[in-house]
């Protein structure tokens, strides 16, 4: 069974606001004098930059009249927004901010071909039901944390047609419902291709599983990625515009996510080892002096004859802030999760702890995981990944190559990163250090390594010796390389808190 995966956006309004900002950016670039409106001269200037065919002032005036429905001779931001969302328009803003032809019918072809499962150039009721169910399931399995409704322009569980639909009828239907969507026309071609590809992948994987194909980890991961692609593409396409969206604020209101505010000091983190020792757990990676039971004086100051209890190996997996709304100061509560390991170093049980600077040993063992899980739900995925990096960097705030990979594998296992992002990290870092790694060899040896396909071994050897990053540096790199979505304000706040 496919597990739920958090959506990239917390609320549908984020999509609508994003598209509004994109459209306003295009408007500003066309408004050459910054006067808050676009006149015929500015429109003509844009058309001359891009149009292949001969254009003159009359072409600009015709387009101006089409967009300026009030006939005042200028285009205001609202008119511009209406035009760039007019699915029947023949021209639109190009992705580079100029102007290009727009063909909504051609844009819809990839999606229609996915709908038309039997290839008869018609959409049958059964095909529409299959599509609607798949899209609805994808949205359900990829919920948005901050809303109970997706605020889409159409309910995909209803049938808009009384009978089988032609391609033209399908296009007319999509054009009608998308009039209330926030997305501008110039982004539709790529988004519909992504939606169609995601649906095709889901259908293909499910078809193989239905005929008895093995449901292994690789198949499960590919299905999860395809479901997320379907949900994200659908939300970007079909989310209502802000003008249409009516939100029940009380219904949708959720607590603000937690921030990385004043984490425990390294000295206080080391107390986890002593507290776990009381539960007969010896933590990996902790200095030996922090992994022993607190000494108690024996009777008559003579050595105790009792055998020390057998210790179970353990590993600190994560530590996170209690919900703080980004506001609490020094003394905020934190939680930690420790795994007990078997002889194969696999987790077999967990210990959950709570931090308070008022406690003599700073940490106390909790009876269950309820408080930890409640706090975890309000920690953004990017901060959960940062916590995994912090744990693997202890005690000196430095990640080796093997530690960085272990942290990414932890994130993948928790579904905070997909396998492609982990592979992307390895590839990107290897590419960056390749020249440095090869500089340690003679030209003859370099030629031999490449001829034998062993340059990867040389790069790996270099990384094992030389790679070193702080958790913040690695989180920034993951964000810069688009392997993990990390809002800039999150990076800024981490840096601010860590340096405080």
């Amino acid at each position: 069974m496919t597990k739920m995966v958090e959506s990239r956006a917390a609320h549908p309004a984020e999509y609508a606001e994003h598209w509004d900002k994109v459209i306003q950016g295009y408007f500003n670039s066309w408004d050459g004098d910054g006067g808050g409106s676009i006149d015929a001269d500015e429109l003509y200037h844009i058309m001359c930059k891009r149009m292949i065919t001969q254009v003159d002032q009359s072409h600009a005036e015709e387009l101006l009249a089409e967009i300026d429905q009030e006939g005042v001779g200028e285009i205001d931001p609202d008119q511009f927004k209406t035009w760039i969302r007019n699915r029947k328009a023949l021209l639109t803003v190009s992705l580079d901010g100029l102007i290009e032809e727009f063909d909504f019918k051609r844009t819809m072809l990839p999606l229609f071909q996915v709908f038309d499962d039997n290839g008869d150039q018609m959409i049958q009721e059964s095909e529409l039901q299959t599509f609607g169910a798949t899209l609805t399931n994808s949205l359900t399995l990829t919920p948005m944390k901050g809303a109970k409704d997706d605020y889409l322009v159409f309910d995909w569980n209803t049938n808009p047609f009384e009978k089988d639909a032609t391609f033209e009828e399908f296009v007319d239907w999509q054009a009608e419902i998308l009039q209330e969507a926030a997305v501008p026309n110039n982004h539709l071609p790529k988004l519909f291709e992504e939606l169609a590809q995601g649906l095709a992948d889901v259908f293909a994987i499910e078809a193989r599983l239905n005929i008895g194909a093995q449901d292994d980890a690789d198949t499960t991961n590919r299905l999860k990625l395809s479901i997320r692609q379907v949900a994200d593409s659908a939300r970007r396409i079909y989310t209502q515009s802000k003008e249409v969206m009516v939100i029940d604020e009380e219904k949708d209101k959720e607590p603000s996510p937690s921030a990385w505010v004043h984490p425990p000091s390294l000295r206080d983190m080391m107390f986890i080892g002593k507290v776990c020792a009381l539960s007969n757990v010896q933590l990996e990676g902790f200095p030996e002096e922090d992994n022993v039971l607190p000494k108690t004086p024996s009777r008559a100051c003579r050595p105790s004859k009792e055998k020390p209890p057998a210790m179970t190996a353990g590993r600190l997996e994560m530590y996170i802030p209690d919900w703080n709304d980004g506001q609490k100061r020094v003394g905020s509560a934190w939680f930690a999760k420790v795994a007990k390991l078997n002889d194969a170093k696999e987790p077999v049980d967990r210990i959950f702890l709570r931090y308070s600077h008022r406690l003599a040993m700073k940490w106390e063992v909790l009876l269950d995981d309820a408080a930890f899980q409640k706090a975890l739900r309000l920690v953004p995925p990017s901060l959960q990944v940062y916590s995994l990096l912090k744990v693997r960097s202890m005690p000196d705030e430095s990640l080796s190559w093997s530690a960085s990979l272990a942290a990414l594998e932890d994130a993948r296992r928790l579904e905070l990163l997909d396998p492609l992002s982990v592979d992307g990290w390895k590839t990107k870092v290897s590419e960056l250090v390749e020249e440095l790694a090869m500089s340690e060899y003679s030209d003859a040896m370099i030629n031999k390594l490449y001829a034998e396909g062993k340059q990867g071994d040389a790069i790996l050897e270099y990384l094992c010796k030389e790679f070193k990053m702080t958790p913040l540096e690695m989180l920034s790199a993951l964000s810069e390389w688009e392997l993990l979505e990390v809002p800039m304000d999150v990076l800024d706040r981490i840096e601010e808190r860590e340096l405080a």
Side-chain angles (χ1 to χ4, degrees):
M1 180 178 177
T2 304
K3 293 182 179 179
M4 298 173 76
V5 180
E6 187 176 301
S7 171
R8 299 183 192 278
H11 196 284
E14 291 184 17
Y15 287 116
E17 290 168 359
H18 166 74
W19 288 132
D20 274 3
K21 290 178 182 178
V22 169
I23 294 171
Q24 185 62 46
Y26 291 140
F27 178 87
N28 293 341
S29 69
W30 282 29
D31 178 17
D33 61 6
S37 63
I38 302 169
D39 59 26
D41 289 337
E42 291 168 329
L43 201 54
Y44 176 62
H45 177 70
I46 291 292
M47 295 179 76
C48 287
K49 279 187 174 183
R50 171 51 57 88
M51 303 302 287
I52 297 174
T53 57
Q54 188 80 22
V55 295
D56 56 32
Q57 191 74 18
S58 65
H59 292 92
E61 291 172 354
E62 288 175 8
L63 181 57
L64 179 67
E66 177 186 333
I67 303 173
D68 173 26
Q69 294 293 311
E70 297 178 4
V72 298
E74 293 181 332
I75 302 168
D76 64 30
D78 288 339
Q79 292 170 331
F80 185 85
K81 184 187 294 185
T82 299
W83 169 67
I84 203 173
R85 291 175 178 166
N86 179 6
R87 315 310 174 186
K88 296 182 179 180
L90 300 180
L91 295 173
T92 194
V93 182
S94 57
L95 289 174
D96 60 4
L98 297 178
I99 194 168
E100 66 182 3
E101 295 180 349
F102 177 66
D103 186 344
F104 184 73
K105 185 175 181 179
R106 184 173 59 193
T107 297
M108 296 306 306
L109 187 58
L111 188 62
F112 178 82
Q113 290 171 338
V114 175
F115 265 90
D116 183 20
D117 184 50
N118 61 8
D120 64 356
Q121 304 304 307
M122 301 285 288
I123 296 180
Q124 299 175 359
E125 182 177 3
S126 60
E127 293 169 334
L128 187 63
Q129 288 175 343
T130 299
F131 175 86
T134 301
L135 186 53
T136 301
N137 289 340
S138 297
L139 295 169
T140 302
L141 290 168
T142 317
M144 283 186 286
K145 186 176 179 180
K148 299 176 182 178
D149 190 355
D150 275 302
Y151 294 96
L152 302 184
V153 295
F154 184 75
D155 181 359
W156 291 97
N157 289 315
T158 62
N159 187 349
F161 306 114
E162 296 180 357
K163 57 181 181 178
D164 296 349
T166 64
F167 177 49
E168 286 71 20
E169 290 171 331
F170 173 76
V171 170
D172 289 343
W173 165 55
Q174 288 285 297
E176 180 182 356
I177 64 174
L178 283 170
Q179 286 301 127
E180 296 187 340
V183 60
N185 283 341
N186 58 347
H187 285 262
L188 285 176
K190 184 174 186 295
L191 287 172
F192 273 120
E193 287 179 3
E194 292 176 354
L195 177 58
Q197 185 60 58
L199 286 165
D201 291 344
V202 170
F203 292 152
I205 294 170
E206 289 181 342
R208 287 198 294 273
L209 294 175
N210 288 337
I211 61 174
Q214 184 177 358
D215 185 7
D216 54 19
D218 181 60
T219 300
T220 300
N221 284 331
R222 284 189 288 112
L223 182 58
K224 288 179 181 178
L225 290 174
S226 299
I227 287 172
R228 164 165 272 178
Q229 180 172 329
V230 169
D232 284 346
S233 301
R235 287 186 173 117
R236 293 180 192 279
I237 294 171
Y238 295 108
T239 293
Q240 298 170 2
S241 66
K242 287 179 67 176
E243 294 82 0
V244 175
M245 194 180 294
V246 178
I247 300 172
D248 182 341
E249 296 292 347
E250 289 304 314
K251 179 184 73 173
D252 291 326
K253 189 174 182 181
E254 292 284 345
S256 300
S258 293
W260 196 266
V261 293
H262 292 288
S265 66
L266 179 61
R267 179 175 176 275
D268 285 353
M269 289 298 298
M270 291 299 104
F271 274 100
I272 294 178
K274 296 184 183 296
V275 174
C276 286
L278 293 172
S279 298
N280 301 326
V281 176
Q282 187 169 9
L283 296 185
E284 294 180 345
F286 275 58
E288 185 174 350
E289 62 270 20
D290 292 311
N291 256 318
V292 296
L293 290 168
K295 292 182 179 179
T296 55
S298 58
R299 189 173 300 173
C301 297
R302 289 180 294 191
S304 171
K305 295 182 179 180
E306 295 181 6
K307 288 185 178 181
M311 301 292 281
T312 300
R315 181 173 64 240
L316 176 61
E317 291 188 319
M318 179 182 283
Y319 67 102
I320 58 171
D322 193 4
W323 178 66
N324 53 43
D325 198 23
Q327 302 301 317
K328 291 186 180 179
R329 303 303 175 191
V330 177
S332 297
W334 283 68
F335 296 98
K337 178 173 66 169
V338 170
K340 293 183 180 180
L341 308 176
N342 60 17
D343 292 340
K345 302 298 183 182
E346 297 169 336
V348 292
D349 197 5
R350 282 346 191 264
I351 300 174
F352 296 89
L353 304 99
R354 178 182 178 274
Y355 166 83
S356 173
H357 70 290
R358 297 184 179 89
L359 297 171
M361 294 186 65
K362 306 303 180 183
W363 296 87
E364 60 181 348
V365 177
L366 301 175
L367 296 177
D368 56 38
D369 68 342
F372 177 90
Q373 296 298 344
K374 183 179 179 181
L376 183 64
R377 283 195 292 271
L378 292 167
V379 178
S382 56
L383 285 186
Q384 293 183 44
V385 173
Y386 183 63
S387 172
L388 298 174
L389 296 172
K390 291 280 287 185
V391 166
R392 291 288 183 175
S393 73
M394 292 175 66
D396 60 356
E397 281 284 295
S398 178
L399 289 154
S400 65
W401 179 242
S402 61
S404 77
L405 297 183
L408 294 183
E409 181 58 27
D410 292 339
R412 184 205 62 76
R413 188 171 58 253
L414 294 173
E415 298 184 346
L416 299 170
L417 282 177
D418 61 57
L420 296 178
S421 294
V422 178
D423 293 339
W425 169 259
K426 296 176 184 176
T427 300
K428 192 71 176 178
V429 174
S430 297
E431 290 174 350
L432 286 175
V433 305
E434 182 174 359
E435 185 176 346
L436 288 172
M438 292 299 116
S439 67
E440 298 187 354
Y441 298 92
S442 65
D443 290 345
M445 178 57 72
I446 291 173
N447 292 334
K448 183 179 180 182
L449 287 171
Y450 280 99
E452 296 177 356
K454 294 182 178 179
Q455 69 273 20
D457 295 338
I459 293 171
L460 178 59
E461 182 179 351
Y462 177 86
L463 287 170
C464 290
K465 289 192 303 181
E466 302 294 339
F467 181 91
K468 183 178 290 187
M469 264 189 167
T470 68
L472 181 56
E473 288 170 342
M474 186 165 169
L475 187 70
S476 299
L478 288 168
S479 175
E480 181 180 347
W481 297 338
E482 298 183 348
L483 302 174
L484 174 68
E485 189 171 347
V486 186
M488 281 305 302
D489 64 317
V490 169
L491 289 172
D492 292 341
R493 295 200 70 175
I494 290 176
E495 186 172 10
E496 174 190 343
R497 298 301 185 184
E498 293 285 9
L499 297 177

